[in-house]
Amino acid sequence: DAGITQSPRHKVTETGTPVTLRCHQTENHRYMYWYRQDPGHGLRLIHYSYGVKDTDKGEVSDGYSVSRSKTEDFLLTLESATSSQTSVYFCAISESGRGNQETQYFGPGTRLLVL
Amino acid sequence: GQQVMQIPQYQHVQEGEDFTTYCNSSTTLSNIQWYKQRPGGHPVFLIQLVKSGEVKKQKRLTFQFGEAKKNSSLHITATQTTDVGTYFCAGGDRGSTLGRLYFGRGTQLTVWP
């Protein structure tokens, strides 16, 4: 498996509180992604990054922000968590040489429950 | 915008039966990738198809990419309980150089002995 870790792996929080999820890679890959997975919806892209301080929105970016100050770390922040953000969050990475023809490698996921 | 549709959403088969999942894109793709996610796990890359009409095999799994590079299929012959999981297709936009993939919603395969 690619060197990707996510922290925390599980989190329970209350509505209205801020939450930050961390993705860390040891592969020096250019691209990093945040997805959420919900039953019946598959994998939906929240945000992605194509370099340090270079990020773009995915299809479900409302309520989320990201930051990438180092190649190896990509942070996902829920400024004020809502129950609709209860989900499993996956980080993924890919190299850059062949753009969208590169394979994506996924982290183990973070299970977030917002009460 | 770019969309990748995948059907069926669920498939239940008896061990030994065949299984097929289909993906269709609204636009021409640069490539299609297939991933498998075991229950409780994370998606894992299976294969990539790049050429029009391409067919690839991995043991009992056969992957096809359509001539127009807008559709793809994954066929499993004689399913086994180890095939259980969710299969995702993911396509890249031919008109983009960015590393974004568009994932289908997945087909959840259940195999009973």
Side-chain angles (χ1 to χ4, degrees):
Chain A
D1 284 345
I4 313 169
T5 56
Q6 292 184 230
S7 58
R9 294 292 314 279
H10 303 271
K11 186 169 182 65
V12 180
T13 191
E14 293 186 347
T15 298
T17 60
V19 177
T20 296
L21 308 183
R22 179 182 183 235
C23 178
H24 178 78
Q25 61 147 328
T26 58
E27 305 296 325
N28 200 36
H29 282 1
R30 178 185 173 193
Y31 281 93
M32 298 186 76
Y33 312 81
W34 277 108
Y35 294 90
R36 61 177 289 175
Q37 185 173 37
D38 306 287
H41 291 278
L43 293 162
R44 292 185 291 177
L45 183 65
I46 305 171
H47 284 278
Y48 67 104
S49 170
Y50 46 95
V52 173
K53 297 186 179 179
D54 291 323
T55 65
D56 203 354
K57 295 179 179 180
E59 59 189 299
V60 289
S61 59
D62 288 348
Y64 301 94
S65 62
V66 290
S67 66
R68 191 168 179 200
S69 58
K70 298 185 292 184
T71 298
E72 57 266 35
D73 290 324
F74 193 30
L75 303 181
L76 177 70
T77 298
L78 292 65
E79 300 291 346
S80 178
T82 67
S83 58
S84 64
Q85 294 176 311
T86 291
S87 187
V88 179
Y89 291 86
F90 286 102
C91 173
I93 64 174
S94 68
E95 295 185 86
S96 65
R98 296 181 301 135
N100 58 36
Q101 295 192 34
E102 294 287 354
T103 299
Q104 292 191 11
Y105 301 93
F106 285 79
T110 294
R111 292 185 176 275
L112 176 66
L113 174 60
V114 184
L115 300 175
Chain B
Q2 175 76 43
Q3 281 192 334
V4 175
M5 310 300 293
Q6 188 174 356
I7 57 169
Q9 187 173 354
Y10 303 97
Q11 188 77 55
H12 308 278
V13 300
Q14 190 163 18
E15 191 173 20
E17 293 182 339
D18 292 355
F19 159 78
T20 305
T21 174
Y22 301 90
C23 276
N24 282 286
S25 169
S26 55
T27 61
T28 304
L29 301 171
S30 61
N31 76 110
I32 192 96
Q33 300 179 26
W34 287 90
Y35 293 76
K36 177 182 179 180
Q37 183 180 21
R38 295 184 186 277
H42 59 274
V44 175
F45 173 78
L46 291 177
I47 207 161
Q48 178 188 50
L49 304 169
V50 178
K51 299 176 183 177
S52 171
E54 190 170 13
V55 178
K56 287 188 176 180
K57 293 188 176 184
Q58 287 181 347
K59 298 182 180 179
R60 295 176 295 102
L61 279 61
T62 301
F63 304 84
Q64 294 186 325
F65 200 12
E67 294 290 340
K69 301 182 75 171
K70 288 187 174 183
N71 58 78
S72 181
S73 65
L74 158 59
H75 180 81
I76 302 179
T77 302
T79 55
Q80 300 176 357
T81 54
T82 54
D83 296 324
V84 165
T86 300
Y87 294 84
F88 294 98
C89 62
D93 184 349
R94 188 182 67 172
S96 173
T97 58
L98 293 177
R100 177 176 177 175
L101 290 174
Y102 294 85
F103 279 82
R105 292 190 175 187
T107 296
Q108 185 176 323
L109 174 63
T110 304
V111 180
W112 70 80

